[in-house]
Amino acid sequence: MEKEVLNISATGQKIIDSYLNMSIAGKVITCPYYTNLKKERAALKVFLGKGSAQEIINETKFLSQKENIDLARFSEERLYRFMVENNLGIDCSGLTIHILKAAYKEKSINLFKKIKVVSFLKNPWRWLVSQLRPIENISVRILADGKNSFLLKSLNDALPNDLLIRTNLRHVYLITKTEKENGIIKKISFVHAPRPKRPDYFGPGIFQKTVILKNNSLKELGEKINDEVIVKRLKF
Amino acid sequence: MNILNHSILNTTLFCVIISGLIAFVSAPLLICFLEKFKIKRTFDNGSAKGIGHRGEKTGTPIMGGLLIVIVVLLVTLFFNWDQRYTYVPIGVMCLAAILGMWDDISNVFGKKRRVRHLDQISKLIKVHKNKWFRLWLIITLPWTLFRNIFHIFSPQPTRGVLPHEKILLQFTAGAITAWWIVFKLGQDWLYVWVPFSGEIYLGYWMIPIIIFIVVFLANAVNISDGLDGLSGGALISAFAGLAILSYFQGSLPFSVLNATVIGALIAYVYFNVKPARFQMGDVGSLALGSLFAVMMLAQNRLILIPFFGFIFLVEIISVILQTIWRYGLGKRLFKMAPLHHHLEFLGWSEEKIVMRFWLINLFMVIVGLWLAMH
């Protein structure tokens, strides 16, 4: 039986670990979820759900210093609440972009130079903004756009760094590991930052999951993760 | 020492003494007045909210800059009232002080004011039932655009003078200064002195340059007034440099005016060092920033502004850079702007920041004076 295990690159995994194990005030927590529902523009990217793990940690500490709060006295739940109430966390596309940026950097590819957000001729101002602040302007929709990614015909073709995108383009999962036996995909692992079901949820915002497949189909995968997804790969 | 210079020196020192004494005596009275009418810093105005321990400053009287403005005005009126040389600097100082006073009082007693966003205006133009009101909104659209440009970077709603109102008044002060310098002081002021080089003719380009410098420096001193004694102490060295410069230029009115400011500032800073008995407020910072700009320009030493006003420029540039980084790149350059807040977050004590900034500014003033000799 021929087994093939493919993992996301070490740098990509490092980024995932940095979000999963954020050390703040003597506690190790997973980055909470936050997304820019209010459609704020021009705020710091760390307040828009697009900050790196270190930026989120730094901003949390800075805020506590500003407000004269001792985070060491907070419980884990209180700390999560503090972060979410201060708009600190990561959303699905932000997490995906940070991981992919690191993974592509290993291949000497600048992801931001490759991803097309808007054409200069169509909207010069938006183009300029997307050049200066790329992470904030790359949404699931942009990743799913035909200019940036192509649809995989079969789940069996999926590899680490490929994207599982919800059919309504509102969520993205990043594949981190695939296990094949005799060329057929048997296990697929991914990481994602889903929006909490309850507005009063204050807890970890990032989850890793491994799904065991019997039929090697997208439909089966969708049933197991309770979502309807397509598989796409970035064009570069 | 010739008789003319002795006379200038004598009058200059006399005015330092007299303004200092008047200010020393008046300061406690002003503090009582401000306390009585509760003209004090509250938690949600100024930078007190931003940094945890700054809550200590809540309740400190503001508008202490009135002391300097009134003393300088009175001493100049009685000892140095010269239509050609001191009318306009004092007039500009008073105009800026009125703007500052309006801002300070509105911040304490006023209601929050908001400015309608452009998208709100355009919706109203489309849907409002009153056609005359819609017409009015269309006619005033350029004004709305102007207002909104200045509100891109400032939070709202806010108490106090709105940014576009501040800019308009400061522009007026700058325009008055430009008119005086370009059309009243003489052709010499159309040239900019450059050390080691001579002069460069700028002609009527001086007008926008002067307006810009007055607005820029007024705001620079305003921004720097964030720690007890910071801007007051730096202004002492700046005006001391100006006084020495004007003494060597043989200009009695300017020398006396600069000296008057020094005397009043010494008394002010005596009560403003930590823990401050009162704070300058916008009435003082805008007035002195404008006066500083006017005097640098009137003494035709525009090139020395980065030296005499070094700390103020560093502070305002830190704010500009932070804004560019924040809006342009979505990151922080400093923990907080202006620079003195960043240093506080790095663990520097307030006293350390203030003393070091005073010393740096003093050193740069000395460099500026050395350059002025060439």
Side-chain angles (χ1 to χ4, degrees):
Chain A
M1 192 163 52
E2 199 186 308
K3 218 175 180 183
E4 188 191 11
V5 178
L6 293 170
N7 283 297
I8 195 169
S9 66
T11 23
Q13 188 58 48
K14 202 173 160 191
I15 299 295
I16 297 171
D17 292 338
S18 70
Y19 280 104
L20 289 173
N21 306 300
M22 288 173 42
S23 175
I24 301 174
K27 285 177 256 308
V28 178
I29 60 167
T30 299
C31 185
Y33 177 88
Y34 177 77
T35 194
N36 182 22
L37 280 175
K38 294 172 235 173
K39 300 291 174 207
E40 264 191 62
R41 298 201 174 176
L44 293 173
K45 71 173 184 240
V46 74
F47 293 125
L48 299 175
K50 307 288 186 190
S52 67
Q54 195 55 52
E55 284 171 346
I56 294 170
I57 292 170
N58 290 346
E59 201 61 40
T60 308
K61 289 178 181 168
F62 175 64
L63 272 174
S64 69
Q65 209 183 348
K66 254 172 79 168
E67 305 290 330
N68 218 12
I69 290 169
D70 183 4
L71 292 178
R73 294 163 83 184
F74 276 15
S75 65
E76 231 177 69
E77 209 216 315
R78 185 73 189 90
L79 179 57
Y80 277 118
R81 180 188 273 267
F82 175 78
M83 290 174 74
V84 173
E85 284 175 350
N86 284 287
N87 301 356
L88 291 168
I90 194 77
D91 67 11
C92 59
S93 55
L95 175 69
T96 303
I97 289 296
H98 276 290
I99 299 167
L100 286 175
K101 180 184 155 200
Y104 275 87
K105 199 176 175 185
E106 254 186 15
K107 301 183 210 172
S108 304
I109 295 174
N110 184 340
L111 188 70
F112 298 142
K113 286 205 182 334
K114 294 287 183 186
I115 288 190
K116 292 175 181 51
V117 176
V118 69
S119 144
F120 173 78
L121 293 169
K122 220 174 177 182
N123 192 335
W125 172 249
R126 201 88 213 117
W127 175 86
L128 179 64
V129 171
S130 70
Q131 297 299 304
L132 293 171
R133 304 184 69 161
I135 290 185
E136 296 95 309
N137 285 277
I138 299 174
S139 61
V140 178
R141 203 168 286 274
I142 297 292
L143 288 171
D145 192 292
K147 284 181 265 183
N148 297 314
S149 59
F150 62 92
L151 191 64
L152 292 178
K153 289 187 179 128
S154 155
L155 181 61
N156 209 49
D157 298 331
L159 294 170
N161 287 345
D162 286 345
L163 309 168
L164 295 170
I165 295 177
R166 191 179 289 166
T167 47
N168 66 359
L169 305 183
R170 300 295 285 269
H171 188 54
V172 60
Y173 309 72
L174 182 71
I175 297 173
T176 55
K177 185 177 174 182
T178 56
E179 270 186 48
K180 286 183 178 175
E181 280 174 20
N182 295 328
I184 309 287
I185 206 162
K186 290 294 178 192
K187 275 188 199 173
I188 193 163
S189 305
F190 54 81
V191 67
H192 69 137
R195 186 187 297 187
K197 292 187 173 36
R198 297 184 342 252
D200 59 347
Y201 170 78
F202 301 111
I206 296 174
F207 302 93
Q208 290 191 115
K209 191 169 179 174
T210 298
V211 174
I212 298 170
L213 297 166
K214 286 180 189 162
N215 298 328
N216 178 28
S217 74
L218 214 46
K219 192 179 173 194
E220 184 194 0
L221 175 64
E223 281 166 7
K224 293 213 163 157
I225 63 174
N226 199 22
D227 207 345
E228 220 178 293
V229 294
I230 50 175
V231 192
K232 292 200 112 180
R233 178 175 298 160
L234 292 179
K235 278 182 171 174
F236 31 85
Chain B
M1 188 181 282
N2 67 40
I3 293 169
L4 180 63
N5 281 345
H6 178 76
S7 167
I8 294 175
L9 188 60
N10 183 46
T11 316
T12 301
L13 292 174
F14 174 76
C15 285
V16 175
I17 296 165
I18 204 83
S19 65
L21 286 174
I22 296 172
F24 262 114
V25 165
S26 312
L29 301 170
L30 177 63
I31 293 169
C32 288
F33 173 84
L34 296 172
E35 295 261 6
K36 184 178 177 185
F37 288 96
K38 296 187 178 25
I39 303 174
K40 296 181 184 184
R41 184 164 294 288
T42 55
F43 192 77
D44 71 352
N45 68 25
S47 61
K49 191 181 182 187
I51 308 167
H53 67 278
R54 290 304 215 80
E56 294 159 15
K57 298 197 185 290
T58 308
T60 308
I62 55 171
M63 287 180 61
L66 262 181
L67 178 76
I68 307 165
V69 172
I70 292 172
V71 167
V72 168
L73 176 63
L74 288 175
V75 172
T76 307
L77 268 170
F78 284 109
F79 298 104
N80 193 24
W81 200 235
D82 183 321
Q83 188 171 5
R84 185 165 148 79
Y85 293 112
T86 56
Y87 267 31
V88 172
I90 293 295
V92 168
M93 182 190 75
C94 291
L95 179 61
I98 290 168
L99 167 62
M101 192 155 47
W102 173 17
D103 196 18
D104 287 333
I105 291 176
S106 305
N107 268 312
V108 176
F109 299 113
K111 291 181 192 169
K112 287 189 179 176
R113 302 164 69 198
R114 50 170 66 240
V115 167
R116 281 205 192 103
H117 285 291
L118 275 172
D119 26 340
Q120 289 172 306
I121 301 280
S122 59
K123 269 186 201 157
L124 284 171
I125 288 173
K126 284 176 201 164
V127 307
H128 200 278
K129 55 184 178 185
N130 185 334
K131 67 175 178 190
W132 297 113
F133 184 64
R134 292 204 308 272
L135 184 61
W136 171 251
L137 288 174
I138 293 169
I139 291 168
T140 57
L141 202 53
W143 172 245
T144 306
L145 267 165
F146 172 73
R147 273 191 334 200
N148 272 269
I149 286 168
F150 293 100
H151 286 270
I152 290 172
F153 300 117
S154 73
Q156 36 170 330
T158 181
R159 290 197 177 97
V161 181
L162 298 175
H164 66 280
E165 292 164 345
K166 250 187 199 167
I167 287 293
L168 271 175
L169 281 165
Q170 287 170 354
F171 184 92
T172 307
I176 293 169
T177 309
W179 161 81
W180 174 61
I181 288 175
V182 170
F183 296 107
K184 294 290 174 187
L185 284 186
Q187 288 290 311
D188 289 347
W189 274 262
L190 298 180
Y191 294 82
V192 169
W193 168 85
V194 178
F196 304 106
S197 287
E199 288 179 334
I200 301 171
Y201 179 72
L202 287 183
Y204 293 113
W205 285 107
M206 281 302 290
I207 296 174
I209 290 171
I210 290 168
I211 295 173
F212 172 75
I213 287 171
V214 170
V215 173
F216 192 75
L217 282 178
N219 287 294
V221 174
N222 190 12
I223 279 166
S224 305
D225 185 36
L227 298 179
D228 294 344
L230 176 53
S231 57
L235 281 167
I236 290 175
S237 55
F239 276 97
L242 276 168
I244 294 169
L245 203 58
S246 47
Y247 171 74
F248 284 122
Q249 288 173 335
S251 169
L252 177 64
F254 287 160
S255 187
V256 169
L257 178 52
N258 292 323
T260 310
V261 176
I262 294 168
L265 272 169
I266 290 171
Y268 165 78
V269 174
Y270 180 90
F271 292 96
N272 181 242
V273 289
K274 191 176 179 178
R277 297 283 307 277
F278 57 8
Q279 293 177 351
M280 198 183 269
D282 286 4
V283 66
S285 57
L286 290 177
L288 289 171
S290 304
L291 183 62
F292 173 61
V294 172
M295 296 314 296
M296 290 296 314
L297 292 161
Q299 291 177 222
N300 202 356
R301 292 295 180 265
L302 156 67
I303 295 295
L304 297 181
I305 288 175
F307 298 92
F308 283 36
F310 181 75
I311 283 301
F312 306 119
L313 291 188
V314 164
E315 295 264 74
I316 196 170
I317 287 168
S318 71
V319 171
I320 293 168
L321 288 175
Q322 180 84 326
T323 307
I324 291 170
W325 249 253
R326 183 205 146 129
Y327 288 102
L329 303 175
K331 298 183 222 184
R332 286 186 194 278
L333 178 59
F334 302 106
K335 286 188 181 288
M336 201 172 183
L339 185 65
H340 60 258
H341 285 326
H342 174 74
L343 294 172
E344 278 189 291
F345 277 109
L346 290 182
W348 286 33
S349 68
E350 192 173 339
E351 295 88 332
K352 183 174 170 179
I353 297 168
V354 169
M355 297 283 146
R356 285 191 171 179
F357 276 26
W358 283 358
L359 292 171
I360 290 169
N361 206 66
L362 176 61
F363 182 79
M364 294 307 288
V365 166
I366 293 168
V367 171
L369 284 171
W370 176 79
L371 284 171
M373 293 170 69
H374 300 87

